[in-house]
Amino acid sequence: MSTPADPTAAPAPPVIRPAIRPVVRPVGTRGLLVELATAEQTEALHAELLRRRAEGSLPPVREIVPGARTVLLDEFGDSGAARRLAAELPGWHVPPLTGRNEEAVEIPVRYDGPDLAEVAALWGVTPDEVARRHAATDFRVAFCGFAPGFGYLTGLAEQYHVPRRTTPRTRVPAGAVGLAGTYTGVYPRSSPGGWQLIGTAPETVLWDTDRTPAALLAPGTRVRFVPLDAPDAPDGAGAPSEGSDRAD
């Protein structure tokens, strides 16, 4: 089995693909669902929608909710605004996502998951190397779902994508750090789940109704995992915690 490339190495030149126009569908009389071809296009469009809303060039809309390959715009001020945007949006130039300067949320993690050895075998490296490469990755929240506080994090290179478990667990503990397909995630609460568990984040509360906002992670948030056993890991890194996925 060939050894996957180190994510800390210089990235390969990007592959240029032809742009694919989004498909815009009405949702009721004052909503739109935008369907895109890739997760990367979805994240870029979500960022562009937020940018335009912040500068005041987007018609007033109550919710902008990204999914894996869709963005829902819900409750425009009037149906005419929704129709006009539906006609205009496919012609937008949406710049690709670039590295952003905002500070990353740090999540302390102990790489002790029951599937760590299996993931190491799939990657063709040692368990320690899985931990090193995972912690060296700059993640971003693509979208949220499955359970309150659960973020689907992208950032791992394609060669590190792993399948869900053939047989899901009936109970995954809160704080478990898992991999499935293109995503990394941390379970906010105990629940069934089929992701490959590589670690535990015992100090991070992902959902707290006494906090504003209640969710620690939101679409677009940068995330870094900090190994708890690293000698130079800062004390108390990340948010204090308590301890899912479309973790099915």
Side-chain angles (χ1 to χ4, degrees), residues 204-240:
T204 303
V205 178
L206 293 166
W207 180 263
D208 182 355
T209 56
D210 293 328
R211 180 173 61 199
T212 303
L216 178 65
L217 305 180
T221 302
R222 290 180 56 226
V223 176
R224 300 280 299 194
F225 289 94
V226 180
L228 277 169
D229 54 357
D232 56 351
D235 292 339

Side-chain angles (χ1 to χ4, degrees), residues 21-22 24 52 57 59 81-93:
R21 289 166 61 90
V24 184
R52 294 189 183 215
S57 62
R83 289 194 300 271
R84 288 191 295 273
L85 185 62
E88 297 168 3
L89 193 148
W92 283 8
H93 169 69

Side-chain angles (χ1 to χ4, degrees), residues 9-245:
V15 177
I16 305 301
R17 296 183 174 88
I20 298 176
R21 289 166 61 90
V23 176
V24 184
R25 304 185 189 279
V27 177
T29 59
R30 292 193 297 164
L32 299 173
L33 183 69
V34 187
E35 300 176 353
L36 300 113
T38 67
E40 291 77 12
Q41 290 180 9
T42 304
E43 291 181 59
L45 177 63
H46 179 245
E48 178 67 6
L49 287 164
L50 294 182
R51 185 190 70 78
R52 294 189 183 215
R53 182 162 69 174
E55 73 176 15
S57 62
L58 188 72
V61 60
R62 184 170 62 87
E63 298 283 355
I64 302 176
V65 184
R69 294 188 182 181
T70 61
V71 180
L72 173 67
L73 296 99
D74 190 34
E75 291 296 321
F76 285 90
D78 62 77
S79 58
R83 289 194 300 271
R84 288 191 295 273
L85 185 62
E88 297 168 3
L89 193 148
W92 283 8
H93 169 69
V94 177
L97 283 176
T98 57
R100 294 189 287 179
N101 295 325
E102 77 269 18
E103 186 175 352
V105 171
E106 292 188 342
I107 297 181
V109 58
R110 184 174 295 112
Y111 287 97
D112 59 358
D115 302 320
L116 182 61
E118 182 175 344
V119 170
L122 290 169
W123 286 13
V125 300
T126 65
D128 285 348
E129 186 64 9
V130 170
R132 188 189 75 80
R133 296 187 185 192
H134 188 263
T137 301
D138 190 10
F139 290 95
R140 183 175 54 250
V141 181
F143 60 99
C144 298
F146 173 71
F150 186 87
Y152 290 80
L153 312 182
T154 59
L156 282 174
E158 186 174 356
Q159 62 263 37
Y160 299 113
H161 299 172
V162 298
R164 285 177 169 81
R165 290 175 54 82
T166 304
T167 303
R169 293 180 169 91
T170 57
R171 182 182 180 278
V172 174
V177 178
L179 308 179
T182 62
Y183 301 111
T184 289
V186 183
Y187 286 72
R189 65 187 186 196
S190 176
S191 67
W195 288 30
Q196 307 279 2
L197 305 182
I198 63 169
T200 308
E203 301 178 6
T204 303
V205 178
L206 293 166
W207 180 263
D208 182 355
T209 56
D210 293 328
R211 180 173 61 199
T212 303
L216 178 65
L217 305 180
T221 302
R222 290 180 56 226
V223 176
R224 300 280 299 194
F225 289 94
V226 180
L228 277 169
D229 54 357
D232 56 351
D235 292 339
S241 238
E242 164 198 305
S244 173
D245 99 58

